[in-house]
Amino acid sequence: MIDTLDDLDVEGTTVGVRVDINSPIADDGSLADDARLRAHVDTLSELLERGGRVAVLAHQGRPGGDDFGSLSPHADRLSDLLGRPVDYVDATFSQAARDAVRSLDDGDCVVLENTRFYSEEYMEFDPDRAARTQLVANLAPVLDAYVNDAFAAAHRSQPSLVGFPTVVPGYAGRVMESELDVLGSIEETPEPRIYVLGGAKVPDSIDVAWSVLEKDLADHILTAGVVANVFLIADGVDLGDASSDFIYEQGYWDEIDRASDLLDAYGDRIALPRDVAVDRDDSRHELGVNALPPQEGEAAMDIGSSTLAYYERLLEDAGTVILNGPAGVFEDDRFELGTRRLYGAATGVPTSIVGGGDTASALRRLGVEGFSHVSTGGGAALQMLTADQLPAVSALERPGDAASDLDNGH
């Protein structure tokens, strides 16, 4: 059982809140998209309005990446979204960070620096070991409680995600609570149940396909994107050198054998594209699978109109649809058709659940709305759908017995 904010006596309590506000960064250093910050407004607002003293923990980017940087702009944007001042300190667990947390009054909020500025945060540990890292060992003594609202990162076992609830009482925030309620009860959703697996996360998608087919959770799986290309090659379709080379370069060549095994075992429930779209003379050109391979240098960039009509017919009778990954290279206007139409059709299904990450970005870009639930997590959502444990969720189920041994600094 996991405690939620309903179980937390907030007033006067110093709460460390782990969120996932990892966002694209514009050239001028500002946030290019604040969707992930908006997702956590309810949790943060509730804690502050109930008199909590809130210290926000989060990461931004990966070391060496273009988006790796300070959380100062995130603090500024959170101040706007919350309608109250949000302080920022350029430290995570040092004396300066602890002093900033100790100085909070009821209803105050401070954003601590990017957790990934600290090297151990980019490593994975079991919870007990994570509790002994510098981040947790130094910051936990000034916290009374820990709230994890970072569902999008819950498939990782990093100190800020699994270490704190080992030593201070842990709670699920509203985002985490909602995600677990929806994704943890897939087997209770209306049937027929259709999974749409697209995008480029081929190993994860094949893991999901095996899991939901073996457990009889899926009546149909519709393939799209690079996932579909792997299945087409597994089915003996010649997609040409450009598509094949991309799959090889991504390290997915072995996935073709796994896809082939899936088709042998469950081929009657796995739908493959009937046509694909390629770039020919700078225009979208559709080819039926019987007309493949394409010309030299042409790659499958989207599913075609015949495939869309086929998939739309299947979705008309669905009770539930779970979607993850775009249908093609939606960033190119010539190849957004598959994603726009496929996801648009899914909004008409009584229960429609969208995995986050790149999929949520695609939908925002295309302006597609009307789903029952849009997850904040990509990898985490996929892992939940395979019924695997999420480390950060499991950590919240652990008793915080050691909390009483800490000097809370109050």
Side-chain angles (χ1 to χ4, degrees), residues 49-121:
E49 288 167 6
R50 289 171 60 186
R53 306 174 179 193
V54 174
V56 175
L57 287 155
H59 71 274
Q60 172 59 48
R62 301 184 179 203
D66 292 339
D67 289 343
F68 189 55
S70 168
L71 294 185
S72 175
H74 304 68
D76 291 341
R77 186 66 185 123
L78 278 175
S79 182
D80 294 337
L81 293 172
L82 294 170
R84 65 175 71 210
V86 173
D87 292 332
Y88 156 78
V89 59
D90 61 352
T92 309
F93 59 83
S94 66
Q95 187 65 52
R98 293 193 296 273
D99 288 346
V101 175
R102 283 195 180 100
S103 67
L104 292 172
D105 290 326
D106 294 359
D108 283 354
C109 181
V110 63
V111 173
L112 303 180
E113 188 53 282
N114 187 345
T115 57
R116 287 186 178 173
F117 280 6
Y118 159 58
S119 60
E120 280 186 306
E121 175 67 7

Side-chain angles (χ1 to χ4, degrees), residues 125-132 157 162-164 166 391 394-395 398:
F125 301 94
D126 64 66
D128 290 331
R129 175 65 184 86
R132 299 196 300 273
S157 187
V162 302
F164 286 103
T166 304
S394 297
R398 297 167 59 90

Side-chain angles (χ1 to χ4, degrees), residues 202-252:
V202 177
D204 291 344
S205 294
I206 290 181
D207 287 344
V208 170
W210 270 116
S211 177
V212 299
L213 289 168
E214 286 179 338
K215 295 170 183 171
D216 206 27
L217 290 174
D219 294 281
H220 294 286
I221 287 179
L222 314 185
T223 61
V226 180
V227 174
N229 292 350
V230 168
F231 274 93
L232 285 170
I233 293 174
D235 199 41
V237 175
D238 185 352
L239 279 177
D241 290 343
S243 292
S244 298
D245 288 349
F246 178 81
I247 291 168
Y248 181 80
E249 290 164 2
Q250 296 299 307
Y252 294 157

Side-chain angles (χ1 to χ4, degrees), residues 72-344:
S72 175
H74 304 68
D76 291 341
R77 186 66 185 123
L78 278 175
S79 182
D80 294 337
L81 293 172
L82 294 170
R84 65 175 71 210
V86 173
D87 292 332
Y88 156 78
V89 59
D90 61 352
T92 309
F93 59 83
S94 66
Q95 187 65 52
R98 293 193 296 273
D99 288 346
V101 175
R102 283 195 180 100
S103 67
L104 292 172
D105 290 326
D106 294 359
D108 283 354
C109 181
V110 63
V111 173
L112 303 180
E113 188 53 282
N114 187 345
T115 57
R116 287 186 178 173
F117 280 6
Y118 159 58
S119 60
E120 280 186 306
E121 175 67 7
Y122 204 63
M123 302 163 69
E124 306 241 346
F125 301 94
D126 64 66
D128 290 331
R129 175 65 184 86
R132 299 196 300 273
T133 59
Q134 293 294 313
L135 171 64
V136 180
N138 283 282
L139 190 60
V142 298
L143 302 177
D144 300 314
Y146 168 80
V147 171
N148 194 338
D149 210 32
F151 174 78
H155 57 308
R156 306 196 184 280
S157 187
Q158 294 162 339
S160 70
L161 295 160
V162 302
F164 286 103
T166 304
V167 292
V168 294
Y171 303 82
R174 296 307 185 195
V175 170
M176 181 72 78
E177 181 184 5
S178 172
E179 296 278 12
L180 297 180
D181 285 346
V182 173
L183 298 178
S185 57
I186 291 295
E187 69 279 0
E188 300 171 10
T189 58
E191 297 177 311
R193 195 176 296 116
I194 293 178
Y195 283 70
V196 178
L197 300 178
K201 294 181 178 178
V202 177
D204 291 344
S205 294
I206 290 181
D207 287 344
V208 170
W210 270 116
S211 177
V212 299
L213 289 168
E214 286 179 338
K215 295 170 183 171
D216 206 27
L217 290 174
D219 294 281
H220 294 286
I221 287 179
L222 314 185
T223 61
V226 180
V227 174
N229 292 350
V230 168
F231 274 93
L232 285 170
I233 293 174
D235 199 41
V237 175
D238 185 352
L239 279 177
D241 290 343
S243 292
S244 298
D245 288 349
F246 178 81
I247 291 168
Y248 181 80
E249 290 164 2
Q250 296 299 307
Y252 294 157
W253 202 250
D254 290 344
E255 300 300 323
I256 294 170
D257 289 337
R258 295 181 68 209
S260 179
D261 291 341
L262 258 175
L263 290 172
D264 288 342
Y266 300 104
D268 59 327
R269 286 195 268 167
I270 300 173
L272 307 183
R274 295 179 173 180
D275 57 351
V276 300
V278 301
D279 178 356
R280 181 171 296 177
D281 300 325
D282 291 327
S283 298
R284 177 188 179 95
H285 183 79
E286 297 188 356
L287 294 168
V289 292
N290 58 347
L292 295 171
Q295 295 178 8
E296 184 177 354
E298 294 179 348
M301 306 285 278
D302 194 10
I303 55 177
S305 301
S306 177
T307 303
L308 284 166
Y310 169 37
Y311 287 1
E312 286 166 347
R313 286 195 300 273
L314 291 172
L315 288 171
E316 284 177 1
D317 298 324
T320 300
V321 58
I322 298 103
L323 309 102
N324 194 281
V329 186
F330 70 90
E331 299 90 343
D332 187 321
D333 291 345
R334 297 167 299 172
F335 303 110
E336 69 170 31
L337 178 68
T339 304
R340 183 186 294 280
R341 272 185 55 183
L342 184 58
Y343 279 76

